């Protein structure tokens, strides 16, 4: 057996009574993904194939390629983007989500909250040429 550590993080406190969910996500070619949302608990993921764009509140958006792992703390942190960066192939990833008891795993974020937190969103520099 060979083992490879892909990610080693200290997650935030996990509420007693939380449950775990493992989900396979398949994003068709060019799929922009789900609208801004938050998760009730931490999420850990691994890209099986393809390449995704991943953007969390307070972090610059960036690509995650097949063979790379990622995580997000959940709670009040907005998950802005998880999109397929490939126009010609499906991107597949596995996520493990820890669900706080009595709270939906995914809560969509409304326009009012997005506007209120706009200053915490880090956008990449414009490289389109002046």
């Amino acid at each position: 057996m060979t083992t490879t550590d892909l990610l080693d993080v200290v997650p935030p406190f996990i509420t007693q009574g939380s449950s775990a969910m493992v989900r396979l996500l398949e994003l068709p070619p060019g799929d922009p993904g789900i609208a801004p949302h938050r998760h009730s608990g931490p999420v850990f993921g691994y890209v099986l194939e393809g390449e995704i764009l991943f953007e969390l509140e307070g972090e610059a958006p960036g690509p995650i390629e097949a063979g790379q792992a990622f995580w997000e703390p959940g709670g009040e942190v907005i998950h802005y983007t998880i999109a397929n960066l490939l126009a010609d192939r499906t991107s597949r990833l596995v996520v493990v989500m820890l669900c706080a008891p009595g709270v939906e795993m995914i809560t969509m974020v409304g326009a009012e909250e997005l506007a209120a937190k706009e200053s915490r969103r880090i956008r990449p520099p414009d490289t389109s040429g002046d």
Side-chain angles (χ1 to χ4, degrees):
M1 174 187 344
T2 301
T3 63
T4 303
D5 293 336
L6 300 172
L7 183 66
D8 185 10
V9 298
V10 176
F13 177 77
I14 298 170
T15 306
Q16 185 173 349
S18 293
S19 62
M21 176 187 306
V22 179
R23 182 173 282 174
L24 173 65
L25 301 176
E26 296 181 303
L27 299 169
D31 190 331
I34 189 171
H37 60 281
R38 67 172 41 89
H39 296 282
S40 67
V43 177
F44 302 87
Y46 180 77
V47 179
L48 297 167
E49 60 184 75
E51 183 177 10
I52 63 169
L53 177 64
F54 190 78
E55 180 187 3
L56 289 179
E57 179 181 329
E59 297 181 14
I64 301 175
E65 300 175 346
Q68 294 181 316
F70 61 91
W71 88 288
E72 61 182 282
E76 295 302 311
V77 175
I78 295 175
H79 184 170
Y80 288 103
T81 306
I82 185 164
N84 187 352
L85 286 172
L86 304 178
D88 61 343
R89 292 192 332 233
T90 295
S91 289
R92 297 175 63 232
L93 53 147
V94 170
V95 293
V96 176
M97 301 179 280
L98 300 177
C99 309
V103 182
E104 292 293 325
M105 173 39 65
I106 295 176
T107 301
M108 303 312 289
V109 176
E112 187 175 305
E113 183 179 0
L114 286 173
K117 289 189 162 187
E118 179 61 28
S119 66
R120 298 181 70 182
R121 190 169 189 183
I122 299 172
R123 300 202 186 255
D126 183 4
T127 57
S128 60
D130 300 24

